[in-house]
């Protein structure tokens, strides 16, 4: 039942669960109300103490107070809490006045009151997928979200991570960019942890024991190395060890950094290495693992660079930046390799086998039409891709893993920054030589 009456403005309270938290600028609405009065009544519900709670018309109520009105026209209705919430939610949504965070909180309230994704979708007019995405946002730390520049697409991508605490950490550490990159890295870490546990379970079942923790530092002194490899790249069932090494006499050790696993056989007492020899072998094991970790970090970095360049648009500043890069690396002698035909095809986005041409065809000018199309469409971007096909960006010596301030990588990164490419904190540390991995030694292990 609905009753229309003028109610004292001082007796009406805003609804504490109104999904819309920010009423916006009320100045213009207050001026209109001063001149014309309130053209549409508020909807309110009575409370037990003689006061009322607003359900529809929160902006009109606040603006009327600014305009100095003493009473406002109201429809007094009876509504249970669930109906009040759904009414406020739908009213604001129909006017497109809710932010996606307010939508998320509103949907969560409806869910808590017994609605389903399907019923919320039907009432709100949003698709079920949209409702599900908003409900996922409702689980996150709102302070983190409000302090970020992340998009709805970013939040949907975050759903690949099931752990809400991990999502919140990723948002906190990637507020303004690179959330997809951070999600991909976290997924890789999750898979790596799963793979490591698979290896542990498999080896335990086969009777292969881990090297005791107190012996890990001197493993090379006490044990003979059998083999080592990246456990992420190999399934436990594919493990192959020399036939003369029974599994129950084999030991393993995971590298402290990276994803390497080593297998050993204990030496007879008479063959235990001297301290100097053990130290040398330990240093060699550390060197291999360090380089493997650097390879992995820069592989991820170069994959991100490639994805960025593939989406790069071409304008009047593109060619000068690319030509400057080309001159810098040629004058420095840092780009000593020529571009192979396979690399040209990769740069042009064409399969090499389909684009393979004879010398006669090339001389006659009969180049692959798709290559010509891609080059004509973005010539400067194509040249940049070709340059980056010749050498990968990396700032470490391939043998030692020490920092290497090479001209090609530093000039390439400078050019990419000019195009708007933003390095993550870790990438910047890798490029400028301040990453902790460069100063790490086997003595730190």
């Amino acid at each position: 039942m609905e009753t229309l009456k003028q109610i004292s403005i001082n007796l009406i309270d805003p609804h504490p669960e109104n999904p819309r938290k920010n009423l916006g600028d009320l100045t213009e609405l207050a001026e209109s109300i001063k001149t014309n009065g309130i053209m549409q009544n508020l909807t309110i519900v009575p409370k037990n103490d003689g006061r009322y709670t607003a359900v529809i018309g929160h902006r009109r109520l606040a603006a009327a107070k600014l305009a100095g009105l003493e009473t406002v026209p109201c429809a007094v209705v009876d509504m249970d809490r669930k109906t009040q919430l759904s009414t406020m939610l739908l009213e604001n949504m129909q006017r497109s006045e809710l932010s996606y965070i307010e939508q998320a909180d509103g949907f969560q309230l409806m869910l808590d009151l017994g609605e389903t994704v399907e019923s919320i979708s039907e009432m709100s007019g949003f698709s079920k997928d949209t409702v599900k995405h908003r409900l996922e946002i409702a689980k996150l730390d709102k302070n983190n979200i409000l302090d970020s520049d992340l998009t709805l697409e970013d939040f949907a991508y975050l759903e690949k991570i099931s752990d809400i605490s991990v999502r919140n950490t990723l948002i906190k550490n990637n507020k303004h960019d690179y959330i997809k990159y951070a999600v991909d890295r976290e997924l890789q870490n999750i898979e790596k942890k799963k793979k490591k546990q698979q290896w542990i379970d498999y080896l335990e079942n086969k009777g292969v024991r881990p090297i005791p923790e107190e012996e890990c530092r001197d493993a090379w002194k006490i044990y003979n190395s059998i083999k080592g490899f990246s456990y992420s790249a190999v399934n436990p069932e594919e493990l192959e060890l020399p036939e003369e090494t029974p599994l129950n006499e084999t030991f393993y050790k995971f590298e402290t950094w990276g994803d390497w696993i080593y297998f050993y056989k204990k030496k007879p007492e008479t063959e235990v290495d001297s301290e100097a020899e053990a130290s040398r072998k330990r240093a060699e094991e550390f060197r291999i693992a360090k380089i493997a970790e650097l390879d992995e970090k820069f592989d991820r970095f170069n994959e991100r660079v490639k994805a960025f360049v593939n989406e790069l648009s071409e304008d009047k500043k593109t060619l000068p930046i690319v030509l400057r890069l080309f001159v810098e690396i040629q004058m420095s002698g840092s780009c000593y390799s020529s571009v192979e035909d396979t690399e040209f095809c990769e740069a042009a986005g064409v399969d090499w086998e389909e684009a393979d041409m004879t010398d006669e065809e090339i001389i006659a000018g009969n180049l692959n039409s798709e290559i010509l199309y891609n080059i004509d469409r973005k010539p400067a971007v194509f040249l940049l891709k070709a340059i980056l096909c010749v050498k990968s960006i990396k700032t470490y010596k391939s043998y030692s893993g020490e920092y290497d301030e090479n001209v090609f990588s530093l000039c390439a990164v400078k050019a990419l920054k000019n195009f708007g490419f933003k390095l993550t904190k870790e990438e910047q540390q890798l490029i400028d030589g301040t990453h902790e991995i460069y100063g790490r030694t086997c003595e730190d292990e």
Side-chain angles (χ1 to χ4, degrees):
M1 182 176 177
E2 181 178 298
T3 305
L4 290 176
K5 59 173 66 176
Q6 289 284 334
I7 303 291
S8 170
I9 201 167
N10 294 322
L11 293 177
I12 305 173
D13 300 315
H15 201 294
E17 295 179 295
N18 180 24
R20 188 176 185 188
K21 306 304 179 186
N22 183 1
L23 298 180
D25 186 1
L26 299 170
T27 306
E28 187 175 336
L29 180 57
E31 288 298 323
S32 174
I33 289 174
K34 275 184 183 180
T35 304
N36 305 307
I38 292 182
M39 309 300 292
Q40 183 180 1
N41 58 268
L42 284 67
T43 299
I44 59 177
V45 293
K47 297 198 289 188
N48 295 331
D49 56 2
R51 298 183 65 81
Y52 301 87
T53 300
V55 176
I56 297 176
H58 286 80
R59 291 192 83 244
R60 276 167 278 155
L61 177 63
K65 289 180 179 179
L66 282 179
L69 270 63
E70 294 183 358
T71 64
V72 288
C74 298
V76 183
V77 300
D78 289 321
M79 287 185 188
D80 59 23
R81 177 168 173 253
K82 182 176 179 180
T83 306
Q84 292 173 35
L85 290 175
S86 61
T87 300
M88 288 187 293
L89 186 63
L90 299 179
E91 172 75 11
N92 282 298
M93 283 185 177
Q94 287 168 359
R95 298 184 181 192
S96 302
E97 293 177 340
L98 293 183
S99 69
Y100 65 82
I101 297 177
E102 291 169 335
Q103 290 173 2
D105 289 340
F107 287 158
Q108 186 60 54
L109 273 173
M110 297 303 297
L111 199 68
D112 293 342
L113 290 171
E115 296 293 346
T116 64
V117 169
E118 289 74 16
S119 62
I120 294 173
S121 172
E122 186 175 340
M123 286 189 296
S124 66
F126 285 91
S127 70
K128 286 186 284 187
D129 284 342
T130 297
V131 173
K132 289 176 183 177
H133 288 318
R134 296 295 189 275
L135 289 172
E136 290 297 325
I137 290 175
K139 300 174 183 178
L140 302 171
D141 185 324
K142 299 303 182 295
N143 292 328
N144 271 345
I145 296 176
L146 292 170
D147 195 30
S148 77
D149 301 326
L150 303 181
T151 65
L152 287 173
E153 184 182 359
D154 291 328
F155 288 114
Y157 203 79
L158 262 173
E159 292 173 27
K160 292 186 176 185
I161 306 294
S162 59
D163 191 320
I164 301 301
S165 64
V166 174
R167 288 190 207 173
N168 282 324
T169 299
L170 291 177
I171 295 172
K172 185 176 181 180
N173 295 336
N174 301 272
K175 293 180 179 180
H176 307 298
D177 211 343
Y178 304 122
I179 193 71
K180 293 182 180 179
Y181 175 69
V183 168
D184 288 341
R185 288 192 59 187
E186 183 61 30
L187 290 172
Q188 290 173 359
N189 290 334
I190 291 171
E191 286 304 310
K192 189 181 291 185
K193 289 177 182 177
K194 288 181 181 177
K195 197 65 174 288
K196 184 176 181 178
Q197 190 59 51
Q198 287 175 7
W199 272 100
I200 292 173
D201 294 342
Y202 177 82
L203 294 173
E204 181 179 340
N205 185 54
K206 294 293 183 180
V208 182
R209 292 162 289 172
I211 289 179
E213 186 174 345
E214 63 274 13
E215 294 181 355
C216 283
R217 182 175 178 82
D218 294 322
W220 280 104
K221 183 177 180 181
I222 306 170
Y223 300 85
N224 279 319
S225 173
I226 300 173
K227 67 187 310 181
F229 51 84
S230 167
Y231 62 79
S232 295
V234 181
N235 292 320
E237 297 78 10
E238 299 170 346
L239 174 63
E240 293 183 359
L241 296 174
E243 293 182 2
E244 66 274 12
T245 310
L247 287 177
N248 61 0
E249 295 180 16
T250 304
F251 296 80
Y252 71 90
K253 177 171 78 79
F254 288 104
E255 182 54 66
T256 308
W257 300 285
D259 64 346
W260 276 59
I261 185 172
Y262 291 92
F263 290 90
Y264 303 88
K265 183 178 180 181
K266 205 159 191 176
K267 297 179 179 180
E269 290 293 329
T270 55
E271 293 183 14
V272 172
D273 284 342
S274 66
E275 188 66 32
E277 180 64 11
S279 177
R280 184 192 68 76
K281 290 183 176 180
R282 184 170 64 246
E284 176 64 10
E285 181 185 62
F286 173 83
R287 181 189 70 81
I288 293 171
K290 180 177 180 179
I291 291 171
E293 185 178 356
L294 279 165
D295 285 343
E296 181 183 359
K297 290 181 182 297
F298 274 93
D299 282 347
R300 289 199 302 261
F301 182 26
N302 281 286
E303 285 172 7
R304 209 166 68 80
V305 167
K306 183 178 179 180
F308 173 82
V309 174
N310 281 338
E311 298 299 322
L312 189 62
S313 59
E314 185 148 337
D315 54 33
K316 62 181 181 180
K317 74 174 184 178
T318 309
L319 185 58
I321 294 174
V322 176
L323 288 178
R324 183 182 181 91
L325 171 62
F326 180 78
V327 171
E328 287 172 345
I329 61 179
Q330 290 298 327
M331 294 298 291
S332 67
S334 62
C335 195
Y336 49 81
S337 301
S338 61
V339 183
E340 299 291 339
D341 53 356
T342 54
E343 292 164 344
F344 264 116
C345 289
E346 180 183 344
V350 179
D351 183 82
W352 176 76
E353 292 185 356
E354 295 180 3
D356 190 23
M357 292 164 285
T358 65
D359 291 345
E360 290 75 14
E361 288 174 322
I362 294 173
I363 294 170
N366 298 325
L367 296 177
N368 178 276
S369 59
E370 190 171 355
I371 291 180
L372 288 175
Y373 170 76
N374 287 327
I375 294 174
D376 289 343
R377 186 168 58 95
K378 291 183 178 181
V381 172
F382 169 79
L383 178 57
L384 178 60
K385 288 181 179 180
I387 290 171
L388 294 174
C389 278
V390 177
K391 290 181 70 174
S392 296
I393 295 173
K394 72 172 191 176
T395 52
Y396 64 97
K397 296 178 181 178
S398 297
Y399 179 78
S400 65
E402 295 174 348
Y403 178 65
D404 179 22
E405 195 177 50
N406 71 80
V407 176
F408 176 87
S409 295
L410 297 182
C411 288
V413 168
K414 179 179 64 176
L416 289 166
K417 285 182 175 180
N418 286 334
F419 286 123
F421 182 77
K422 296 178 182 178
L423 275 68
T424 64
K425 182 179 179 180
E426 181 181 56
E427 289 169 348
Q428 185 61 58
Q429 291 172 339
L430 289 168
I431 293 300
D432 62 26
T434 59
H435 197 287
E436 57 85 21
I437 193 172
Y438 291 124
R440 195 189 295 166
T441 67
C442 64
E443 299 305 318
D444 300 325
E445 189 176 354

